Amino acid sequence: MRMYDIIEKKRDGFELSIEEIEYFITEYCNDRIPDYQASALLMAIFLRGMNERETADLTNVMAHSGDMIDLSDIPGIKVDKHSTGGVGDKTTLVLAPIVAACGVPVAKMSGRGLGHTGGTIDKLEAIPGFNTSISREDFIKNVKEIGISIAGQTGNLAPADKKLYALRDVTATVNNISLIASSIMSKKLASGADRIILDVKTGSGAFMKNLEDSVKLAKEMVKIGENTGRRTAAIVTDMDIPLGFAVGNSLEIIEAIETLQNRGPKDLMEVSFELAARMLELCELGTFDKCMNMVLKAVESGKAISKFAEMVERQGGNTDIINDYSLFPQAEYKYDYVSQKAGYIEAMKTDTIGVASLELGAGRETKESSIDYAAGILFKKKTGDRVEKGEVIATLYTNKEEKIQSACSLLDRAICFSEEKPQLKP
Ligand code: URA
């Protein structure tokens, strides 16, 4: 078999066989196919697409490119969740302790930020002392003993995805349904959970910009999960606006802590509680309404925040942060971004907001950059809100004074005004 022929076949719009997909993944993982040929094939897939069979085969081959984690030592049905990536998306930090507090074990392997989107592992590392690189044994032990653990993906979990994702990130081949579906589902299959809930984001801050593509992506991933014996469900949620008010690692942990105590922003509570209830429903704890009641009780009774504290303590983090936010890394500069005009915020280009937060230090410019956990943006106004000239729309947090102006310019571009109050999306 020759990589050249595989590229040519997909370039001309033909279907790849499982043998060709296996050859590509195996040889690429073993460094026997150079990045330029892998990039050419990715671009051919991006432009020509893959059918359901090819996508399912690609997913399976990528899942088996590394370790397949065995969670069978943990009693009960194990449930996992994945988001397709967004801005201000801290739902895992809220729903994982809630689901665990309701008695369903959560063994969650999470990722770091990608492009303009944030990652759960980076957020958790904003908690002083929190260790996300625990051993497989400790990860399983924690889930067995306290019902929850969130850790970074080990190096050998779907390594084919790790290599391909890095290439897609720099070759403009991320936003393709088959490539996203296989990337996400290969990791989920390798992570060993019995049930999977997917939060498929849609809108300007998501990789899928329109609802039709997002629904298509959701259906494709659900089908892959179901065909491999994992009950899978997806909800499509709005990412045309940051989720909650906080964007940036410490700021988002603080917002998650507030939400776990029933004091969070309405949109974040709605999405997190819905996902948590769907996870319980997938694990056969009852009807959706019954599961939603369990979620609300876990939050109102304080069990959810206690479970979060237990997880933080178990993974070496300082639990005092829950009651004292001054223990988080603090930004040297806090700058109020004020409105230049009066009107309603009609739209927020959410990917640009993600980039503004990244500029302030909350994300990585390159793979090697380190994150400033204190950096980010705290919004006071979002889409649909009335703003007067000179009123504060958001506060920027950073340790890089020189980045404030460029972040403000990005926000100027990201926030659109109108005279009329806009219709809000659900
Ligand atoms: N998240 C992933 O893990 N992979 C993608 O391709 C996109 C979002």
Side-chain angles (χ1 to χ4, degrees):
M1 216 173 278
R2 285 196 328 146
M3 188 59 189
Y4 182 96
D5 300 330
I6 298 174
I7 297 168
E8 188 181 46
K9 191 171 174 188
K10 186 43 83 183
R11 182 201 68 192
D12 295 342
F14 294 103
E15 181 178 340
L16 299 181
S17 68
I18 178 148
E19 291 77 19
E20 287 162 333
I21 291 171
E22 262 167 2
Y23 173 84
F24 163 53
I25 295 297
T26 315
E27 296 300 291
Y28 183 56
C29 281
N30 285 307
D31 296 324
R32 289 192 289 265
I33 290 173
D35 279 350
Y36 55 82
Q37 282 190 313
S39 308
L41 181 61
L42 287 174
M43 187 55 84
I45 293 172
F46 186 91
L47 296 171
R48 290 296 195 165
M50 274 183 147
N51 64 22
E52 251 175 50
R53 201 229 84 238
E54 290 173 291
T55 308
D57 285 345
L58 178 61
T59 308
N60 267 314
V61 174
M62 292 211 301
H64 287 90
S65 64
D67 300 343
M68 297 292 285
I69 298 178
D70 181 4
L71 298 178
S72 58
D73 254 14
I74 304 166
I77 302 175
K78 274 76 64 185
V79 61
D80 199 355
K81 170 257 172 188
H82 197 93
S83 153
T84 58
V87 177
D89 180 9
K90 68 281 289 173
T91 53
T92 293
L93 301 163
V94 180
L95 62 84
I98 294 177
V99 170
C102 293
V104 170
V106 181
K108 175 98 189 74
M109 295 233 170
S110 288
R112 297 193 180 274
L114 301 169
H116 67 275
T117 69
T120 302
I121 290 303
D122 294 330
K123 293 172 203 191
L124 280 171
E125 287 177 355
I127 301 173
F130 196 100
N131 182 9
T132 59
S133 328
I134 53 177
S135 68
R136 182 86 43 87
E137 291 70 37
D138 282 348
F139 177 67
I140 290 181
K141 185 167 170 263
N142 290 350
V143 183
K144 268 168 123 174
E145 290 178 4
I146 63 165
I148 185 169
S149 193
I150 306 181
Q153 278 147 16
T154 60
N156 210 31
L157 189 99
D161 174 62
K162 201 169 176 196
K163 245 184 125 177
L164 282 181
Y165 195 92
L167 203 55
R168 288 167 58 215
D169 205 19
V170 291
T171 54
T173 50
V174 172
N175 312 31
N176 170 274
I177 290 179
S178 291
L179 294 176
I180 296 179
S182 55
S183 162
I184 290 177
M185 292 308 287
S186 62
K187 287 177 287 213
K188 295 297 102 182
L189 301 186
S191 303
D194 309 298
R195 310 279 153 97
I196 302 161
I197 187 89
L198 300 164
D199 180 11
V200 179
K201 303 285 184 196
T202 190
S204 59
F207 290 123
M208 291 290 108
K209 306 287 180 203
N210 66 64
L211 186 59
E212 199 189 334
D213 284 346
S214 307
V215 171
K216 218 167 141 194
L217 172 63
K219 288 189 171 168
E220 189 119 4
M221 292 197 287
V222 169
K223 229 177 283 161
I224 294 171
E226 295 280 335
N227 286 340
T228 46
R230 322 285 175 109
R231 275 193 62 197
T232 305
I235 65 170
V236 177
T237 65
D238 187 27
M239 194 30 78
D240 250 337
I241 183 169
L243 190 57
F245 293 105
V247 182
N249 301 287
S250 299
L251 296 172
E252 291 193 45
I253 295 274
I254 293 169
E255 194 166 72
I257 293 171
E258 290 293 309
T259 307
L260 280 164
Q261 296 172 93
N262 225 7
R263 304 191 294 249
K266 192 169 161 285
D267 57 351
L268 177 62
M269 303 227 286
E270 190 181 346
V271 176
S272 310
F273 294 178
E274 166 97 18
L275 282 164
R278 295 278 170 209
M279 286 168 88
L280 300 181
E281 189 189 20
L282 261 186
C283 292
E284 296 160 27
L285 262 64
T287 61
F288 177 73
D289 287 348
K290 183 173 171 218
C291 293
M292 183 55 96
N293 265 330
M294 291 173 73
V295 167
L296 297 177
K297 266 206 193 117
V299 174
E300 284 157 12
S301 65
K303 282 191 182 146
I305 189 70
S306 300
K307 190 53 77 180
F308 178 81
E310 247 183 296
M311 175 185 74
V312 171
E313 186 173 18
R314 194 50 91 90
Q315 293 190 223
N318 181 356
T319 51
D320 293 344
I321 48 114
I322 293 171
N323 297 311
D324 183 357
Y325 298 150
S326 72
L327 295 172
F328 280 102
Q330 300 293 311
E332 194 176 345
Y333 303 99
K334 292 184 185 132
Y335 181 86
D336 282 339
Y337 173 79
V338 296
S339 183
Q340 304 299 325
K341 47 188 146 192
Y344 289 94
I345 299 184
E346 185 187 28
M348 299 173 95
K349 292 179 186 145
T350 307
D351 43 0
T352 308
I353 290 169
V355 176
S357 169
L358 192 147
E359 281 264 309
L360 293 169
R364 292 181 186 80
E365 298 278 355
T366 66
K367 274 199 294 189
E368 288 71 35
S369 320
S370 59
I371 285 197
D372 176 357
Y373 296 112
I377 305 174
L378 194 56
F379 284 94
K380 298 206 165 47
K381 304 278 180 183
K382 294 208 304 181
T383 306
D385 288 338
R386 170 90 198 162
V387 183
E388 300 307 327
K389 189 169 178 211
E391 204 176 351
V392 177
I393 294 181
T395 304
L396 313 188
Y397 292 73
T398 189
N399 286 303
K400 298 191 240 177
E401 192 180 16
E402 70 283 6
K403 294 288 183 184
I404 292 174
Q405 269 329 303
S406 56
C408 287
S409 306
L410 285 163
L411 290 185
D412 289 344
R413 272 195 268 146
I415 298 171
C416 312
F417 287 86
S418 71
E419 304 268 297
E420 309 281 309
K421 188 171 170 62
Q423 278 276 314
L424 285 186
K425 287 190 203 152

